[in-house]
Amino acid sequence: MHTSLFADTPFFSRFFDDSPVSMAVVTIDDGRYADVNPAFARLMGYPREALAGRPFRDTALDGGSSQTVLSSPPAALAGAGDVTLFLETRDGRALTCVASIQIEQIGGRPYYFLIMQDVTGQEPALAELRLSEDRFQLFFRSIPLALLVIDDDYRIADANRAACELYGCTVETFGQLSLRDLTPPDDWPALRDALAGDGRGERAVISRQRLRDGRAIDVEISRDRVTWGARRYTLAVVRDVTEERAIEAELIAGQERLRIVADMTTDTTVWLRDLATNQVVWNSSLTARFGYDESARPTHQWWVAHVHPDDRAAIEASIEAALASAGDQWENEYRFLRADGTYANVLDRGRIIRDEHGRPVRFLGAMVDITGQLQAAEAARRAALEERQRLARELNESVTQLLIRLSLMAETTRRQLDGDAGPLSVEAIGRMGELARQALRQLRLLVYELRPSQLEQVGLAAALRHRLEAVEQRAGVAFRLQDALTAPVPAGLKSEVYRLAQDILNFSLKHIGSATVTVRLRNDPSTLTLEISDDGRITDAAASEGELAVMHKRVAAMGGALTVEDDGRGSTTLRADIPMTPP
């Protein structure tokens, strides 16, 4: 059983153990491994316990810098930045690693604290990994998220490299601008009002920003208040969501389909049916769109015979129900046979004309061929899915690793500056670290949501486990999943419960901030129960009220009830009891 060197600091111990970044702690006096995290043990191919107490020199390769670097005086290493180490794994493989070396006091004793990245085969990239002596400036300048420092008059006090690239401005140009200069006039009042608060516990703001070349883009602005020197500023994280919002728009198939139909009125096949004789008058589009002879004068029975056999009964039943009702509208989609023997997907809308006694006498309709639009929508859906998967891979492989290093190094810098604050306050460093951790959680959640759902392939419990491992576990939240389902869950209900569970887990990450979450699933023939418990309390009831209201409505729409319980001992439970059959 391994005993962590950081047992007295549970938060750092959990971060050290769960981090995917390789880390090791080496004694200064005799150069032995005092502790390594699981990521480093996996990298080297040893059990974690086998490295504890082992001389660092045993795993160094070249007999040169890798074996002598930790023999340098501690004062010389304190500002040395990154060093290159050549290590040998248990199976004899040679590794090239870039290591950031810090000197930390743990339990009153100094240690070398190494943060390592395996760059074997990537030596040309080493130059890009060198650290600046000014740690805070490195964080601010190098983070791949666009950052703006804004004073109380909305003037831009500073901007990082990512912000310069996004807006097309230099830091000097930013110094002559205010946030109002970057915002289209129609959007400024709403953005100004949204920034009036301190940003804590508030949702990100969606607004537009104007770039140097005159283009306007959609952005999501997350912000916080920080102290820099003797003044208070707003630290704003600006994310370009133009493409993301465009993809979302493409996936709203129903609204898009209606827009397409509205734009294609010139290609509409109009028909008028006499309900007394069942004779139907068609416009010329029946020939132009479907290839039938204008002189055929097709009847209602002819139309029924040309509806796809699999759709025919349902379409006839829906028409009879509309005629028997008191309403005057009918709409449906079905497959209609063309003259060349192929089927077209059509959207058909009808208006029932009634006499003075309310009896239906004529049926006026418009039929639109939407085959091409459906094919285009499916192609767009597939393209969007492929793009989502690509974005998920790129975000996970690049930004996640940078945010992890940013969070850890912010914490290390805060400790070094604690009690000896320089021009940049300890609070600002701490807030930067917290911002990085929040961004990391949100990024992991975004990466997970960009990936295709596992629900249909593996089932409800397994899909939830995949979500917990992909998001909560990587965010440092321990989880337990208790699957006590004893009866099959209907497909439609399974999908709704999975989405509800995702909403509750997202709510927990944002508003509870617990270290452990427990998910329980159970059912009987009549009721399915989803219960999610956290070892924390809701931190901002006002900010979370709207999300809770949405979840209450979702459960109510399924015929169930949602309860929120605080046991008074630091634990919050959200429980949904949902009927196994729809209401």
Coordinates of all heavy atoms in Angstrom, one line a residue, residues 167-230:
Y167 N -8.0 39.0 -32.2 CA -8.5 40.3 -32.6 C -7.7 40.9 -33.8 O -8.1 41.9 -34.4 CB -8.5 41.3 -31.5 CG -9.6 41.1 -30.5 CD1 -9.4 40.2 -29.4 CD2 -10.8 41.7 -30.6 CE1 -10.4 40.0 -28.5 CE2 -11.8 41.5 -29.7 CZ -11.6 40.6 -28.6 OH -12.6 40.4 -27.7
G168 N -6.4 40.4 -34.0 CA -5.6 41.0 -35.0 C -5.0 42.3 -34.6 O -4.7 43.2 -35.4
C169 N -4.8 42.5 -33.3 CA -4.2 43.7 -32.7 C -2.9 43.4 -32.0 O -2.7 42.3 -31.6 CB -5.2 44.4 -31.7 SG -6.7 45.0 -32.4
T170 N -2.1 44.4 -31.8 CA -0.9 44.3 -31.0 C -1.2 44.7 -29.6 O -2.3 45.3 -29.3 CB 0.3 45.2 -31.5 OG1 -0.2 46.6 -31.4 CG2 0.6 44.9 -32.9
V171 N -0.3 44.4 -28.6 CA -0.6 44.8 -27.2 C -0.6 46.3 -27.2 O -1.4 46.9 -26.4 CB 0.6 44.2 -26.3 CG1 0.4 44.8 -24.9 CG2 0.5 42.7 -26.3
E172 N 0.2 47.0 -27.9 CA 0.2 48.5 -27.9 C -1.1 49.0 -28.4 O -1.6 50.0 -27.9 CB 1.4 49.0 -28.8 CG 2.8 48.7 -28.2 CD 3.2 47.3 -28.3 OE1 2.6 46.5 -29.2 OE2 4.1 46.8 -27.6
T173 N -1.6 48.4 -29.5 CA -2.9 48.8 -30.0 C -4.0 48.6 -29.0 O -4.9 49.5 -28.8 CB -3.3 48.1 -31.3 OG1 -2.2 48.3 -32.3 CG2 -4.6 48.6 -31.9
F174 N -4.0 47.5 -28.3 CA -5.0 47.3 -27.3 C -5.0 48.4 -26.2 O -6.0 48.8 -25.7 CB -4.8 45.9 -26.6 CG -5.5 44.8 -27.3 CD1 -4.7 43.7 -27.7 CD2 -6.8 44.8 -27.4 CE1 -5.4 42.6 -28.4 CE2 -7.5 43.7 -28.0 CZ -6.7 42.6 -28.5
G175 N -3.7 48.9 -25.9 CA -3.6 49.9 -24.9 C -4.3 51.2 -25.2 O -4.5 52.0 -24.3
Q176 N -4.7 51.4 -26.4 CA -5.4 52.6 -26.9 C -6.9 52.4 -27.0 O -7.6 53.3 -27.4 CB -4.8 53.1 -28.2 CG -3.3 53.3 -28.1 CD -2.7 53.6 -29.5 OE1 -3.4 53.9 -30.5 NE2 -1.4 53.5 -29.6
L177 N -7.3 51.2 -26.7 CA -8.7 50.8 -26.9 C -9.4 50.5 -25.6 O -8.8 50.2 -24.6 CB -8.8 49.6 -27.9 CG -8.2 49.7 -29.3 CD1 -8.3 48.4 -30.0 CD2 -9.0 50.8 -30.1
S178 N -10.8 50.5 -25.7 CA -11.6 50.0 -24.6 C -12.4 48.9 -25.1 O -12.5 48.7 -26.3 CB -12.5 51.1 -24.1 OG -13.6 51.4 -25.0
L179 N -13.0 48.1 -24.2 CA -13.9 47.0 -24.6 C -15.1 47.5 -25.5 O -15.5 46.8 -26.4 CB -14.4 46.3 -23.4 CG -15.2 45.0 -23.7 CD1 -14.3 44.0 -24.4 CD2 -15.7 44.4 -22.4
R180 N -15.5 48.7 -25.2 CA -16.6 49.3 -26.0 C -16.1 49.5 -27.5 O -17.0 49.3 -28.4 CB -17.0 50.6 -25.4 CG -18.2 51.3 -26.2 CD -18.7 52.5 -25.4 NE -19.9 53.0 -26.1 CZ -20.7 53.9 -25.5 NH1 -20.5 54.3 -24.3 NH2 -21.8 54.3 -26.2
D181 N -14.9 49.8 -27.7 CA -14.4 50.0 -29.1 C -14.4 48.7 -29.8 O -14.4 48.6 -31.1 CB -12.9 50.5 -29.1 CG -12.8 51.9 -28.5 OD1 -13.8 52.7 -28.6 OD2 -11.8 52.2 -27.8
L182 N -14.3 47.5 -29.1 CA -14.3 46.2 -29.7 C -15.7 45.6 -29.9 O -15.8 44.5 -30.5 CB -13.4 45.3 -28.9 CG -12.0 45.7 -28.6 CD1 -11.3 44.7 -27.6 CD2 -11.2 45.8 -29.9
T183 N -16.7 46.3 -29.4 CA -18.0 45.7 -29.4 C -18.9 46.5 -30.3 O -19.0 47.7 -30.3 CB -18.6 45.7 -28.0 OG1 -17.7 45.1 -27.1 CG2 -19.9 45.0 -27.9
P184 N -19.7 45.8 -31.2 CA -20.6 46.5 -32.1 C -21.6 47.3 -31.2 O -22.0 46.9 -30.1 CB -21.4 45.4 -32.8 CG -20.4 44.3 -32.9 CD -19.6 44.4 -31.6
P185 N -22.0 48.5 -31.6 CA -22.9 49.4 -30.8 C -24.1 48.7 -30.3 O -24.5 48.9 -29.2 CB -23.2 50.6 -31.7 CG -22.0 50.6 -32.7 CD -21.6 49.2 -32.9
D186 N -24.8 47.9 -31.1 CA -26.0 47.3 -30.7 C -25.8 46.3 -29.6 O -26.8 45.9 -28.9 CB -26.7 46.6 -31.9 CG -27.2 47.6 -33.0 OD1 -27.3 48.8 -32.6 OD2 -27.4 47.1 -34.1
D187 N -24.6 45.7 -29.5 CA -24.3 44.7 -28.5 C -23.8 45.3 -27.2 O -23.7 44.6 -26.2 CB -23.4 43.7 -29.0 CG -23.9 42.9 -30.2 OD1 -23.8 43.4 -31.3 OD2 -24.5 41.8 -29.9
W188 N -23.3 46.5 -27.2 CA -22.6 47.1 -26.1 C -23.4 47.2 -24.8 O -23.0 46.8 -23.7 CB -22.0 48.4 -26.4 CG -21.4 49.1 -25.2 CD1 -21.8 50.3 -24.6 CD2 -20.3 48.6 -24.4 NE1 -21.0 50.6 -23.5 CE2 -20.1 49.5 -23.3 CE3 -19.5 47.5 -24.4 CZ2 -19.1 49.4 -22.4 CZ3 -18.5 47.3 -23.5 CH2 -18.3 48.2 -22.4
P189 N -24.7 47.7 -24.8 CA -25.4 47.8 -23.6 C -25.6 46.5 -22.9 O -25.4 46.5 -21.6 CB -26.8 48.4 -24.1 CG -26.5 49.1 -25.3 CD -25.4 48.3 -26.0
A190 N -25.9 45.4 -23.6 CA -26.1 44.1 -22.9 C -24.8 43.6 -22.4 O -24.8 43.1 -21.2 CB -26.7 43.1 -23.9
L191 N -23.7 43.8 -23.1 CA -22.4 43.3 -22.6 C -22.0 44.1 -21.3 O -21.5 43.6 -20.4 CB -21.4 43.4 -23.7 CG -19.9 43.0 -23.3 CD1 -19.9 41.6 -22.8 CD2 -19.0 43.1 -24.5
R192 N -22.2 45.4 -21.4 CA -21.8 46.3 -20.3 C -22.6 45.9 -19.0 O -22.0 45.8 -17.9 CB -22.1 47.8 -20.6 CG -21.8 48.8 -19.5 CD -22.4 50.1 -19.8 NE -23.9 49.9 -20.0 CZ -24.6 50.7 -20.7 NH1 -24.0 51.7 -21.4 NH2 -25.9 50.5 -20.8
D193 N -23.9 45.6 -19.2 CA -24.7 45.2 -18.0 C -24.3 43.9 -17.5 O -24.3 43.7 -16.3 CB -26.2 45.2 -18.4 CG -26.7 46.6 -18.7 OD1 -26.1 47.6 -18.4 OD2 -27.8 46.7 -19.4
A194 N -23.9 43.0 -18.4 CA -23.5 41.6 -17.9 C -22.2 41.7 -17.2 O -21.9 40.9 -16.3 CB -23.4 40.7 -19.1
L195 N -21.3 42.6 -17.5 CA -20.0 42.8 -16.8 C -20.1 43.6 -15.6 O -19.1 43.7 -14.9 CB -19.0 43.4 -17.8 CG -18.6 42.6 -19.0 CD1 -17.7 43.4 -19.9 CD2 -18.0 41.3 -18.7
A196 N -21.2 44.1 -15.2 CA -21.3 44.9 -14.0 C -21.1 44.1 -12.8 O -20.6 44.7 -11.8 CB -22.7 45.6 -14.0
G197 N -21.4 42.8 -12.7 CA -21.2 42.0 -11.5 C -19.7 41.6 -11.4 O -18.9 42.0 -12.2
D198 N -19.4 40.9 -10.3 CA -18.0 40.4 -10.1 C -17.7 39.2 -10.9 O -16.5 38.8 -10.9 CB -17.7 40.2 -8.6 CG -18.6 39.1 -8.0 OD1 -19.3 38.4 -8.8 OD2 -18.5 38.9 -6.8
G199 N -18.6 38.6 -11.6 CA -18.3 37.4 -12.4 C -18.4 36.1 -11.7 O -18.5 35.0 -12.3
R200 N -18.4 36.1 -10.4 CA -18.3 34.8 -9.6 C -19.7 34.2 -9.6 O -20.7 34.8 -9.3 CB -17.9 35.1 -8.2 CG -16.4 35.7 -8.1 CD -16.0 35.8 -6.7 NE -14.6 36.4 -6.7 CZ -14.0 36.7 -5.5 NH1 -14.6 36.4 -4.4 NH2 -12.8 37.2 -5.6
G201 N -19.7 32.9 -10.0 CA -21.0 32.2 -10.0 C -21.9 32.5 -11.1 O -23.0 32.1 -11.1
E202 N -21.5 33.4 -12.0 CA -22.3 33.8 -13.1 C -21.9 33.0 -14.4 O -20.8 32.6 -14.6 CB -22.1 35.3 -13.4 CG -22.5 36.2 -12.2 CD -22.3 37.6 -12.5 OE1 -22.0 38.0 -13.6 OE2 -22.3 38.4 -11.5
R203 N -22.9 32.9 -15.3 CA -22.7 32.2 -16.5 C -21.8 33.1 -17.5 O -21.8 34.3 -17.3 CB -24.0 31.8 -17.2 CG -24.8 30.8 -16.5 CD -26.1 30.5 -17.2 NE -26.9 29.5 -16.6 CZ -28.0 29.0 -17.1 NH1 -28.5 29.5 -18.2 NH2 -28.7 28.1 -16.4
A204 N -21.2 32.4 -18.4 CA -20.4 33.2 -19.4 C -21.4 34.0 -20.3 O -22.6 33.6 -20.4 CB -19.6 32.2 -20.3
V205 N -20.9 35.1 -20.8 CA -21.7 36.0 -21.6 C -21.5 35.7 -23.1 O -20.3 35.6 -23.5 CB -21.4 37.5 -21.3 CG1 -22.2 38.4 -22.1 CG2 -21.6 37.7 -19.8
I206 N -22.5 35.6 -23.9 CA -22.4 35.5 -25.3 C -22.6 36.9 -25.9 O -23.6 37.6 -25.6 CB -23.4 34.5 -25.9 CG1 -23.2 33.1 -25.3 CG2 -23.3 34.5 -27.4 CD1 -21.9 32.5 -25.6
S207 N -21.7 37.3 -26.7 CA -21.8 38.7 -27.3 C -21.0 38.6 -28.7 O -20.6 37.6 -29.1 CB -21.1 39.7 -26.4 OG -21.2 41.0 -27.0
R208 N -21.0 39.7 -29.3 CA -20.2 39.9 -30.6 C -19.0 40.8 -30.3 O -19.1 41.7 -29.5 CB -21.1 40.4 -31.7 CG -22.1 39.4 -32.3 CD -22.7 40.0 -33.5 NE -23.3 41.3 -33.3 CZ -23.6 42.2 -34.3 NH1 -23.3 41.9 -35.5 NH2 -24.2 43.3 -34.0
Q209 N -17.9 40.5 -31.0 CA -16.8 41.4 -31.0 C -16.3 41.7 -32.4 O -16.4 40.9 -33.3 CB -15.6 40.7 -30.2 CG -15.9 40.5 -28.7 CD -15.8 41.8 -27.9 OE1 -14.7 42.2 -27.5 NE2 -16.9 42.5 -27.7
R210 N -15.8 42.9 -32.5 CA -15.3 43.4 -33.8 C -13.8 43.3 -33.9 O -13.1 43.7 -33.0 CB -15.8 44.9 -34.0 CG -15.6 45.4 -35.4 CD -16.4 46.7 -35.6 NE -16.2 47.6 -34.5 CZ -17.1 48.5 -34.2 NH1 -18.2 48.6 -34.8 NH2 -16.9 49.3 -33.1
L211 N -13.3 42.6 -34.9 CA -11.9 42.4 -35.1 C -11.3 43.6 -35.8 O -12.0 44.5 -36.4 CB -11.7 41.1 -35.9 CG -12.4 39.8 -35.4 CD1 -12.0 38.6 -36.2 CD2 -12.0 39.6 -33.9
R212 N -10.0 43.5 -35.9 CA -9.2 44.6 -36.5 C -9.5 44.8 -38.0 O -9.6 45.9 -38.5 CB -7.7 44.4 -36.4 CG -6.8 45.5 -36.8 CD -6.9 46.7 -35.9 NE -5.9 47.7 -36.3 CZ -5.8 48.9 -35.7 NH1 -6.7 49.2 -34.8 NH2 -4.8 49.7 -36.0
D213 N -9.8 43.6 -38.7 CA -10.2 43.7 -40.1 C -11.6 44.1 -40.4 O -12.1 44.0 -41.5 CB -9.8 42.4 -40.8 CG -10.6 41.2 -40.2 OD1 -11.5 41.4 -39.4 OD2 -10.3 40.1 -40.5
G214 N -12.4 44.4 -39.3 CA -13.8 44.8 -39.5 C -14.8 43.7 -39.4 O -16.0 44.0 -39.3
R215 N -14.4 42.5 -39.4 CA -15.3 41.4 -39.2 C -15.9 41.3 -37.8 O -15.2 41.7 -36.8 CB -14.7 40.0 -39.5 CG -14.3 39.8 -41.0 CD -13.7 38.4 -41.2 NE -12.5 38.2 -40.5 CZ -12.3 37.3 -39.6 NH1 -13.3 36.5 -39.3 NH2 -11.1 37.2 -39.0
A216 N -17.1 40.8 -37.6 CA -17.7 40.6 -36.3 C -17.8 39.1 -36.1 O -18.3 38.4 -37.0 CB -19.0 41.3 -36.2
I217 N -17.4 38.6 -34.9 CA -17.6 37.2 -34.5 C -18.4 37.1 -33.2 O -18.5 38.0 -32.4 CB -16.2 36.6 -34.4 CG1 -15.4 37.3 -33.2 CG2 -15.4 36.6 -35.6 CD1 -14.1 36.6 -32.9
D218 N -18.9 35.9 -33.1 CA -19.6 35.6 -31.8 C -18.6 35.1 -30.8 O -17.7 34.2 -31.2 CB -20.7 34.5 -32.1 CG -21.8 34.9 -32.9 OD1 -22.2 36.1 -32.8 OD2 -22.3 34.2 -33.8
V219 N -18.6 35.5 -29.6 CA -17.7 35.1 -28.6 C -18.4 34.8 -27.3 O -19.5 35.3 -27.0 CB -16.6 36.2 -28.3 CG1 -15.8 36.5 -29.5 CG2 -17.2 37.4 -27.7
E220 N -17.8 33.9 -26.5 CA -18.2 33.6 -25.1 C -17.2 34.3 -24.2 O -16.0 34.0 -24.3 CB -18.3 32.1 -24.9 CG -18.7 31.7 -23.5 CD -18.7 30.2 -23.3 OE1 -17.5 29.7 -23.0 OE2 -19.7 29.6 -23.4
I221 N -17.7 35.1 -23.3 CA -16.8 35.9 -22.4 C -17.0 35.4 -21.0 O -18.1 35.6 -20.4 CB -17.0 37.4 -22.5 CG1 -16.7 37.9 -23.9 CG2 -16.0 38.1 -21.5 CD1 -17.0 39.4 -24.1
S222 N -16.0 34.7 -20.4 CA -16.0 34.4 -19.0 C -15.1 35.4 -18.2 O -14.0 35.8 -18.8 CB -15.5 33.0 -18.7 OG -16.2 32.0 -19.5
R223 N -15.5 35.8 -17.0 CA -14.7 36.9 -16.4 C -14.6 36.7 -14.9 O -15.4 36.0 -14.3 CB -15.2 38.2 -16.7 CG -16.5 38.6 -16.0 CD -17.7 38.1 -16.7 NE -18.9 38.6 -16.1 CZ -20.1 38.0 -16.2 NH1 -20.2 36.8 -16.8 NH2 -21.2 38.5 -15.6
D224 N -13.6 37.4 -14.3 CA -13.5 37.3 -12.8 C -12.8 38.6 -12.4 O -12.1 39.3 -13.3 CB -12.6 36.1 -12.4 CG -12.9 35.7 -11.0 OD1 -13.6 36.5 -10.3 OD2 -12.5 34.7 -10.6
R225 N -13.0 39.0 -11.2 CA -12.3 40.2 -10.7 C -11.0 39.8 -10.0 O -11.0 38.9 -9.2 CB -13.3 40.9 -9.7 CG -14.5 41.5 -10.3 CD -14.3 42.7 -11.1 NE -14.0 43.9 -10.3 CZ -13.6 45.0 -10.8 NH1 -13.4 45.2 -12.1 NH2 -13.4 46.1 -9.9
V226 N -9.9 40.5 -10.3 CA -8.6 40.2 -9.7 C -8.0 41.5 -9.2 O -8.4 42.6 -9.7 CB -7.7 39.5 -10.6 CG1 -8.3 38.2 -11.0 CG2 -7.4 40.4 -11.9
T227 N -7.1 41.4 -8.3 CA -6.3 42.6 -7.8 C -4.9 42.5 -8.4 O -4.2 41.5 -8.3 CB -6.2 42.6 -6.3 OG1 -7.5 42.7 -5.7 CG2 -5.3 43.8 -5.8
W228 N -4.5 43.5 -9.1 CA -3.2 43.6 -9.8 C -2.6 44.9 -9.3 O -3.0 46.0 -9.6 CB -3.4 43.6 -11.3 CG -2.2 43.3 -12.1 CD1 -0.9 43.3 -11.6 CD2 -2.1 43.1 -13.5 NE1 -0.1 43.0 -12.6 CE2 -0.8 42.9 -13.8 CE3 -3.1 43.0 -14.5 CZ2 -0.3 42.6 -15.1 CZ3 -2.7 42.7 -15.8 CH2 -1.3 42.5 -16.1
G229 N -1.5 44.7 -8.5 CA -0.9 45.9 -7.9 C -1.9 46.4 -6.8 O -2.4 45.7 -6.0
A230 N -2.2 47.7 -6.9 CA -3.2 48.3 -5.9 C -4.6 48.5 -6.6 O -5.4 49.1 -5.9 CB -2.6 49.6 -5.4

